[in-house]
Amino acid sequence: MKLITRDTDYAVRALREIAQSKEKMVSTVYLEEKLGIPRAFLRKILQLLQKSGILDSAKGNQGGFILARPAQDILLLDIIKVFQGDVCVSECVFLKEPCSQKSCCPLRGELKKIENYALERLGAVTLKSLSANTRK
Amino acid sequence: MKLITRDTDYAVRALREIAQSKEKMVSTVYLEEKLGIPRAFLRKILQLLQKSGILDSAKGNQGGFILARPAQDILLLDIIKVFQGDVCVSECVFLKEPCSQKSCCPLRGELKKIENYALERLGAVTLKSLSANTRK
DNA sequence: TCCTAATGATACTATATAGGTATCATTTGT
DNA sequence: ACAAATGATACCTATATAGTATCATTAGGA
Ligand code: FES
Ligand code: FES
């Protein structure tokens, strides 16, 4: 059971790297070498982060990516949402076949509590705090 | 993001039905009609519950399934484990390629907290309490 | 100005997991 | 003996995850 997919995990690593960089723009090639993430996949991930407003980008020579806002304003929850949609632990397993049991389903209540807790924790973690944790 | 798969959801419904039944043995056919779960799939689910010791079964005519222990001794967590393995929200996304970052991964700490909370909640819910919730 | 290094957009492929079926053997009450 | 049930097991299909590939576009610098 995974709360975090590989996209998200890679994204966090790349973002930490970008946050810590002193360069103006950080390129995919640089990140690939530093992190060992397959380049094409990493590119897709960075493009998504750009579209969602977490990264700014520059095309052309010397181009690359940079944080669109300070690291303390980027939440782990924001990053998760880009790749995994809304955090919704209590999602009905029959979401697509309109479910007749929504109001009486014996699981929803408990799952909702867990979801709320998860949202609270994930919303409290910023990219900045994730970077601080590094020096173990 | 799903904490509960369809197997588990079906299992919970079937178990509630079995718990409430006054018959000695409850058959797959009866449950199929009552719950609208595809029979072959339901059979697989019940067989798994039997193997894992949550249900007892009887073969032959008038056979079927019955709870192996009182409803208050069957935890939601037990049921989840049968179909989804251990609840492990903080599972490393690179589980199969031994992960070099286990000790320094910036996500593990937070995910672990969420996992602990989930375990605590799910471990507190019994089949009996799930049945009680029904009469909304 | 042209070349090159970069991203943007988008389509495609591969693999794993979830969800579901099907079949035959075995058991048991009537 | 027969019918009604489960046991064991193999298989299939759809979807989601993970990853690749390609061409177009942009911008800096020799
Ligand atoms: S199955 Fe639809 S709400 Fe629980
Ligand atoms: S990626 Fe392996 S521990 Fe975080």
Side-chain angles (χ1 to χ4, degrees):
Chain A
M1 186 186 318
K2 280 187 207 138
L3 205 51
I4 297 288
T5 57
R6 199 172 288 201
D7 304 299
T8 305
D9 187 289
Y10 283 155
V12 168
R13 295 185 203 193
L15 286 169
R16 290 204 317 156
E17 204 56 45
I18 293 170
Q20 279 159 22
S21 163
K22 269 115 198 145
E23 305 299 315
K24 248 187 268 174
M25 287 288 164
V26 184
S27 74
T28 307
V29 176
Y30 171 81
L31 289 172
E32 182 204 10
E33 277 163 14
K34 192 94 189 236
L35 301 172
I37 299 171
R39 186 182 324 190
F41 196 27
L42 182 56
R43 244 162 74 62
K44 188 160 86 168
I45 288 168
L46 294 172
Q47 284 186 14
L48 266 169
L49 288 169
Q50 185 273 324
K51 270 191 192 162
S52 69
I54 291 174
L55 287 177
D56 279 341
S57 66
K59 288 168 96 175
N61 202 334
Q62 305 301 315
F65 297 91
I66 194 77
L67 296 189
R69 51 180 193 273
Q72 64 263 30
D73 297 344
I74 297 173
L75 305 181
L76 176 50
L77 195 54
D78 298 332
I79 304 168
I80 291 177
K81 279 182 183 169
V82 171
F83 302 98
Q84 304 175 232
D86 278 332
V87 170
C88 177
V89 158
S90 60
E91 186 176 329
C92 172
V93 286
F94 296 105
L95 218 53
K96 282 162 195 162
E97 321 139 31
C99 169
S100 58
Q101 327 214 15
K102 274 237 162 63
S103 54
C104 68
C105 173
L107 295 173
R108 290 185 75 76
E110 281 307 318
L111 297 180
K112 199 72 194 171
K113 281 181 204 158
I114 294 172
E115 175 178 315
N116 287 339
Y117 181 81
L119 281 170
E120 196 185 291
R121 304 291 325 179
L122 297 173
V125 181
T126 67
L127 179 55
K128 182 157 190 184
S129 69
L130 284 175
S131 302
N133 284 344
T134 317
R135 44 202 76 118
K136 57 151 184 175
Chain B
M1 186 184 318
K2 280 188 209 135
L3 205 51
I4 297 287
T5 57
R6 196 171 290 202
D7 303 300
T8 305
D9 187 288
Y10 283 155
V12 169
R13 295 186 203 194
L15 286 170
R16 289 204 317 155
E17 205 54 46
I18 293 170
Q20 279 158 23
S21 163
K22 268 117 199 142
E23 304 300 314
K24 250 187 265 174
M25 286 288 163
V26 184
S27 74
T28 308
V29 176
Y30 172 82
L31 288 172
E32 182 204 11
E33 276 164 14
K34 191 97 190 230
L35 300 172
I37 299 171
R39 186 182 325 190
F41 195 28
L42 182 56
R43 246 163 73 64
K44 188 160 85 168
I45 289 168
L46 294 172
Q47 283 188 12
L48 266 169
L49 288 169
Q50 185 273 325
K51 270 191 193 166
S52 69
I54 291 175
L55 287 178
D56 279 340
S57 67
K59 287 167 99 174
N61 201 336
Q62 305 303 315
F65 298 90
I66 194 74
L67 297 190
R69 51 180 193 271
Q72 63 263 29
D73 296 345
I74 296 173
L75 306 181
L76 176 51
L77 194 55
D78 298 332
I79 304 168
I80 292 176
K81 279 181 184 171
V82 171
F83 302 98
Q84 305 174 236
D86 277 333
V87 169
C88 176
V89 157
S90 60
E91 185 176 329
C92 172
V93 288
F94 296 106
L95 218 54
K96 284 164 194 162
E97 322 139 31
C99 170
S100 58
Q101 324 213 18
K102 276 236 161 68
S103 54
C104 69
C105 172
L107 294 174
R108 290 185 75 76
E110 281 307 319
L111 297 180
K112 198 72 195 168
K113 282 181 205 159
I114 293 171
E115 174 179 314
N116 287 339
Y117 182 81
L119 280 171
E120 196 184 291
R121 304 290 326 179
L122 297 173
V125 181
T126 67
L127 178 56
K128 180 156 193 184
S129 68
L130 285 174
S131 302
N133 284 343
T134 318
R135 43 203 78 118
K136 58 152 179 170

